[in-house]
Amino acid sequence: MATSAFDLPDHLSPKADPRLITGDERHFAAIAESLERSIADLSERLDAALKAPGGIGRRALDRDQEVRRLSARLRTLRRFGLDLCLGHMVGADDPEPVYIGRLGLTDSAGRRLLVDWRSPAAEPFFGATHANPMGLTSRRRYRWTRGRISDYWDEVFTPDGFTGHAAALDDQSAFIASLGGSRSARMRDVLSTIQADQDAIIRAGSSGALVVDGGPGTGKTVVALHRTAYLLYSDPRLGHRRGDVLFVGPHEPYLAYVSDVLPSLGEEGVQTCTLRDLVAEGAAAAVEADPEVARLKSSAQIVTAVEAAVRFYEEPPATGMTVTIHEYDIRLSAEDWAEAFEAAEPGIPHNEARDRIWQEVLTILVDRYDGDESPDLLRRSLLRNKDLRTAFNRAWPLLDPADLVGDLWTVPAYLRRCAPWLSTDEVRKLQRKDAQAWTVSDLPLLDAARQRLGDPEASRRQRRNDAVVAAERERMATVVNDLLEAQTYDDGEGVLIMLRGQDMRDALVDESGLPGTDPDWLAGPFGHIVVDEAQELTDAEWQMLLLRCPSRSFTIVGDRAQARHGFTESWRERLERIGLDRISVATLSINYRTPEEVMAEAEPVIRAVLPDANVPTSIRSGGVPVVHGSVSERSWILDTWLAAHGDGIACVIGDPTFQATSRVRSLPPELSKGLEFDLVVLIDPEEFGKGIEGTVDRYVAMTRATQQLVILTSP
């Protein structure tokens, strides 16, 4: 006899009534059979794809994409098993339940066993409310524990719907009941309990910029992650290649916390990062010590100085020169230099344009030559001409992004030329002794410089590759010619005849093995970018993301009241200023996470400096008051809590001397943003800082608690 999918505890025995679960048991048996068949089929297809010849060019790309697609689906099926199923819903027009899953699934006859949660057909499962049942009579949500159902909840939407459901109806909904569960080091799976207000935002279209504004505990991060998976499924522009969507989080602890969510939704190709990750120098960059310097570097205008800085090196020489080759003088005038510089099409990075301009210079000189040398020999001679090389390198130098930005901070005259709007005092303020003592505030300029200049090694690498390909084609041509000369038979397929064609000869050269660099998956362009805790981004930092998203399709998640440096404008005003249009704003105002007791203490903190803060309304009480005490009680409080709670995770915020353990984290207030813990212990919150920054840090740290908040102060 097959093991039941239900493993209900004794106190829920009424829910084990066969009249309530027999239909589910039959359906789960069909799902199990389909899963077994699907896993076997996918395994065979993946094995075949891996054994297939790699090929070159488009064939190699298609093979790699198929391997990734099959591998991702196989991992999802193996990871979940029956708990792919989130629940079911029953419509008024059809008594047969429709089962909703993390992905779609059919049986061998093509009967739909699971409807993908992102499909339009699944929308009522998340969006139905008693005010708008969306055609449903009932809905059932499951709670899975180690692959079996440990609880489930029924909701009914019609007066006669209670019949046959009474034992499964609870005073609290599935969602409210789930809020009381213990936290862990990773964000918990919440797909089955997405609420109607959240689901409406998740399913909104991707055209333009959608702002998801909400205070602590409103599920902004949940919305952002699930919206990412939804758009990859529903938007025909996305999901065709790795890196179509970029997800930007505030810091590394946050990315670690949410790292499991997208894979659990069946999406593994999303690129996730912090702003620091977009630039190589970001890992070691320090915070700008001088607030005034940070302010000057935070504007979008300062980023435009990079373009002026590059243009300085793209001005053609004002005087000509004479090139002597084989005792023959060729004049290269200032007009010739200007003509050569125009050979670089707009949009080509500076360093990658060098070869085009250099070839144009050589063409001008070859066309002007009246001597006896052949054009090919003349070109080779010009390539070796030291004076010409020196003049060209001076006229269009190879530039390094770090050197370019470093010069702005160490050469006042250069900065004045590139940023003429700065006052003399501001130029002096921005100067520093160490050109490359990078700060976080430098990253937007470094990023803009790298995008504008391109890879300094690209030209050299391309020349080396071209030489290798040319040599290989010459070798292959010799082999083919030998075959054709030795042909003594008709192969019946016309292969040898085909070898006479240049296209076939070129196809025989495998360029896939040429040396290269690993792709920069964060360089873009992306079809859509999701930004969480977006209230923290400066105008300059926004330029880093705009560069990577030509479509201007964004999901922008944040809370103006949690901006550490203040956010006095509206979202629309801020985003229009940095270059976005087609902006819509969706507001979340229900606090699902933070108990009333904690919010009652946190709300006055933020309203003291931001009277119009979007403070959400908590919908549950934890029954545990906020505790105030002395720092000396820290160890006793933690030990007592750990002894009383076998599960869950705590966090000490504001005490750098505390050593983290497997169940108690230790964080500064600024790195707690976006996270949640069962118990939060704040150490001397008044020492977090003065003004808006200190207040926001206190507010954010307090609202990380899902069960209990303890505030300890020094005597």
Side-chain angles (χ1 to χ4, degrees), residues 258-275:
V258 304
S259 62
D260 207 35
V261 175
L262 284 169
S264 78
L265 299 174
E267 297 296 346
E268 299 183 353
V270 177
Q271 299 300 312
T272 62
C273 71
T274 67
L275 285 172

Side-chain angles (χ1 to χ4, degrees), residues 209 542 546 552 554 556 575-583:
W542 270 111
L546 294 179
R552 297 297 190 262
F554 282 86
I556 297 163
L575 297 175
E576 287 177 345
R577 191 179 74 231
I578 58 97
L580 286 174
D581 55 9
R582 297 178 297 155
I583 301 162

